[in-house]
Amino acid sequence: MKAYGKLVHVELHRVRWLLAALMVLTLVIQVAALVWTARSGVADIREAETIGRSAFFSDDKLSFSWLIFNTQVLFALPILLSIAVLVLYVFLIWYRDWLGRSTFIYRLLTIPTARRNVYFAKATAVLLLILILISFQLILLPLEEWLFKLVVPSDLWEPSVFTDAILANQAFVWVIPLDGSRFLVSIGLGMAGVFALFGAILLERSYRIRGILLALLYLAACLTIVVYPLLTLGIDQTYSFLYPFEILLIELAIIIAVTLFSIWMSLRLLDKKITV
Amino acid sequence: MIEVDKVSKGFARKKVLRDVSFTVEKGQIVCLIGLNGAGKSTILKAIMGLTPIRSGRILVDGKKPDRRLYERIGYVPDHLTMPSSMRAVDALTFMEDFYPNWNASRAAELMSFFGLDFKERIGNLSKGTAAKLNLVLGLALDSDYILMDEPFSGIDLFSRERIAELFSGDMIDGRGVLLTTHEVGDIEHLIDKAVILNKGVVARSFDCDRVREEEGKSVVDMMREVLQA
């Protein structure tokens, strides 16, 4: 247990600069989008005023949810980029220990602790990266609201409900834990995917060239097992044998089973078959 | 005692090791000798559980290796296996964090013995300096056995002499040492037993002193006899 904690620390310590870079990128892109959009919004209203249109209508005022709605792409961009980097990192977290000049995997696999600690430390590091980035976005949003108030003159500023603002961006809806169950589904599916990829990576690392084929077959099998019931049990039909809730329950059981199998297989490979 | 018993291993259809057997006892320095690609490194990795074997068995003090094995055997791979972003001092801290048998004072002693700088980044180390730090990480463990893969390769003449000095000093005293090399010259006088490996097979295994006294042959003579035959 102690070794596991220390290994998580080692993993996070190694990725700290990447994490910082993603945070800075998110901050810079979102703040730039915020200032630019808010300013042009203000300019548009002022221009309308000088032409003589009355400023009585409430849509001539700017709220934070208006801003979030009008910065869709630019606010989502750093989030999508972070997700892409995290997916790459799932591969990197193993391969960087094998490839390159220093093959740290020799050391990781010969520390006097169960190898599952190395495996779970890597999985935990990925999960923590996801949670840290989401927390960062959560902290960033109120700061951005405050900044928005500074940029927009008080006579044009209008209050809005914070959750409305979050719901105005399609990317936030999935990654920000407003709706507990939806958030758990996002994170749960994400981690199930991480464990499946870990399994594929360890197959390749254990059997090398033959392992690539095994890994692809394994991923295809995982995907088929998970997707097949969704297509055949008739969740999209009005009249089907099972209620949608029951189908989702079956789906959940399947995903949990596939994930447990992935973990069991990975640990076995790491113990018996891995080659450095 | 480390027992390697009829160990075989193959990659795809190519046999890398075939029925390899030998033992390393505590207090004994055993040298695995062979040309490049003879399977020396693979044997060390197999003992450390870093590559699976197809058949045969490996026992350490009569027991199958488990995770506690890594406290009993120090392993010095043929290259330094710490992330290049770490400093030397971080590598030592890592070892101290994870190995209950880490001997910090011996590590400090070895660092000064080799004249290593604690603050140097691992990525910036020259090949020879990295090899020295690698030895520090392996030798500063209080272990019963030490496996060393080509500890002399890439190291300059004077440092080689210093390492050879370690072998005869108390740093090694009482431990079982298994090392591989393809240039046996420097350490010939230190080794107790030589195992000559040729294309994955043990071609000859002998007690160095006995061969020297009874047959008047050096290890290099034996190598010539076996490998050039």
Side-chain angles (χ1 to χ4, degrees):
Chain A
M1 201 55 204
K2 223 167 124 196
Y4 161 78
K6 286 184 204 159
L7 282 167
V8 172
H9 176 255
V10 168
E11 290 294 344
L12 285 178
H13 191 72
R14 293 175 75 190
V15 76
R16 64 196 187 284
W17 293 115
L18 182 70
L19 182 65
L22 286 175
M23 286 176 167
V24 169
L25 200 70
T26 307
L27 180 85
V28 169
I29 293 179
Q30 291 191 351
V31 165
L34 181 149
V35 172
W36 187 69
T37 308
R39 282 219 172 143
S40 63
V42 171
D44 283 350
I45 294 175
R46 292 285 187 236
E47 197 184 304
E49 279 172 359
T50 54
I51 295 170
R53 247 180 67 203
S54 69
F56 292 136
F57 300 112
S58 64
D59 61 331
D60 282 348
K61 293 201 171 200
L62 302 177
S63 70
F64 190 55
S65 44
W66 168 87
L67 176 95
I68 297 292
F69 186 78
N70 283 285
T71 49
Q72 289 288 343
V73 177
L74 283 175
F75 264 59
L77 191 70
I79 296 173
L80 296 177
L81 200 73
S82 298
I83 293 172
V85 169
L86 283 174
V87 170
L88 280 180
Y89 190 68
V90 168
F91 289 91
L92 199 65
I93 202 172
W94 290 103
Y95 283 105
R96 92 186 146 184
D97 289 342
W98 259 278
L99 310 173
R101 197 174 139 201
S102 60
T103 49
F104 194 38
I105 196 71
Y106 277 73
R107 185 56 68 194
L108 285 179
L109 295 183
T110 54
I111 53 181
T113 180
R115 286 182 181 173
R116 65 168 180 274
N117 286 330
V118 173
Y119 174 84
F120 284 119
K122 287 187 187 291
T124 310
V126 173
L127 178 66
L128 285 176
L129 281 183
I130 297 172
L131 294 179
I132 290 170
L133 283 169
I134 290 174
S135 315
F136 178 70
Q137 181 68 74
L138 269 176
I139 295 168
L140 203 54
L141 274 167
L143 291 175
E144 285 166 347
E145 190 178 21
W146 171 78
L147 184 67
F148 177 70
K149 264 199 228 178
L150 283 186
V151 175
V152 176
S154 55
D155 60 317
L156 295 183
W157 179 79
E158 184 183 53
S160 67
V161 181
F162 191 64
T163 50
D164 285 350
I166 291 173
L167 290 172
N169 186 300
Q170 287 308 305
F172 287 166
V173 173
W174 285 100
V175 297
I176 290 188
L178 277 184
D179 177 343
S181 57
R182 196 175 222 193
F183 179 68
L184 281 182
V185 167
S186 297
I187 294 279
L189 278 178
M191 285 313 288
V194 168
F195 283 120
L197 285 177
F198 273 17
I201 292 164
L202 290 173
L203 274 172
E204 190 279 325
R205 287 289 86 192
S206 298
Y207 297 101
R208 301 297 157 104
I209 302 217
R210 270 184 307 152
I212 297 176
L213 188 68
L214 287 174
L216 291 175
L217 285 174
Y218 161 75
L219 285 179
C222 286
L223 207 64
T224 312
I225 294 169
V226 169
V227 172
Y228 189 70
L230 281 182
L231 298 178
T232 53
L233 289 178
I235 198 164
D236 52 343
Q237 290 155 21
T238 325
Y239 303 103
S240 67
F241 185 69
L242 296 164
Y243 290 113
F245 175 71
E246 291 172 328
I247 297 176
L248 287 180
L249 218 56
I250 292 172
E251 193 57 32
L252 182 70
I254 290 173
I255 291 171
I256 290 174
V258 167
T259 302
L260 288 178
F261 176 79
S262 293
I263 294 173
W264 174 81
M265 182 188 78
S266 300
L267 293 180
R268 250 193 101 72
L269 288 172
L270 213 46
D271 260 345
K272 312 254 181 224
K273 289 288 172 201
I274 205 79
T275 295
V276 299
Chain B
M1 186 166 67
I2 299 177
E3 292 166 77
V4 174
D5 185 19
K6 293 195 179 118
V7 166
S8 294
K9 175 178 177 61
F11 293 117
R13 272 189 214 100
K14 192 180 154 223
K15 278 255 179 186
V16 179
L17 300 175
R18 221 176 320 153
D19 283 335
V20 171
S21 301
F22 63 90
T23 59
V24 182
E25 278 164 49
K26 271 185 211 167
Q28 202 178 35
I29 299 180
V30 178
C31 189
L32 272 176
I33 305 167
L35 305 176
N36 296 323
K40 298 167 297 195
S41 299
T42 308
I43 292 176
L44 298 197
K45 284 186 197 171
I47 295 173
M48 293 307 283
L50 292 172
T51 194
I53 53 176
R54 189 173 283 174
S55 61
R57 58 181 191 162
I58 293 165
L59 297 177
V60 178
D61 294 336
K63 275 177 277 179
K64 280 199 161 186
D66 61 4
R67 66 194 171 88
R68 280 184 299 273
L69 165 85
Y70 302 127
E71 284 180 51
R72 302 233 302 283
I73 303 186
Y75 175 44
V76 182
D78 58 358
H79 59 286
L80 183 58
T81 59
M82 283 289 179
S84 41
S85 59
M86 276 189 184
R87 293 174 193 279
V89 62
D90 301 328
L92 299 181
T93 311
F94 180 93
M95 296 300 286
E96 186 159 16
D97 273 350
F98 286 97
Y99 290 84
N101 57 330
W102 178 251
N103 186 331
S105 61
R106 184 188 282 160
E109 202 181 307
L110 282 163
M111 288 293 282
S112 70
F113 178 83
F114 285 126
L116 295 173
D117 179 4
F118 285 86
K119 290 208 188 103
E120 190 77 60
R121 240 178 236 294
I122 284 169
N124 296 339
L125 296 178
S126 70
K127 192 164 185 267
T129 320
K132 289 175 194 166
L133 180 59
N134 198 16
L135 277 169
V136 174
L137 300 185
L139 292 173
L141 291 169
D142 285 327
S143 59
D144 298 338
Y145 303 94
I146 303 176
L147 310 185
M148 288 188 256
D149 201 355
E150 301 280 356
F152 299 97
S153 85
I155 291 185
D156 59 87
L157 173 68
F158 301 117
S159 303
R160 277 215 297 269
E161 284 175 1
R162 303 218 75 183
I163 297 170
E165 233 174 87
L166 278 182
F167 275 64
S168 40
D170 59 353
M171 206 62 85
I172 291 294
D173 210 21
R175 306 204 220 185
V177 177
L178 174 62
L179 64 114
T180 72
T181 188
H182 55 260
E183 40 190 337
V184 79
D186 294 310
I187 49 158
E188 174 157 3
H189 59 288
L190 297 169
I191 55 185
D192 301 311
K193 189 165 122 184
V195 177
I196 300 181
L197 207 62
N198 190 17
K199 291 173 188 151
V201 183
V202 175
R204 196 74 66 83
S205 167
F206 56 92
D207 185 312
C208 299
D209 286 340
R210 200 186 52 77
V211 165
R212 207 174 294 129
E213 281 164 24
E214 292 176 10
E215 302 179 32
K217 288 175 185 162
S218 69
V219 177
V220 178
D221 293 334
M222 293 293 282
M223 276 176 73
R224 255 184 241 291
E225 209 178 290
V226 174
L227 298 176
Q228 288 191 333

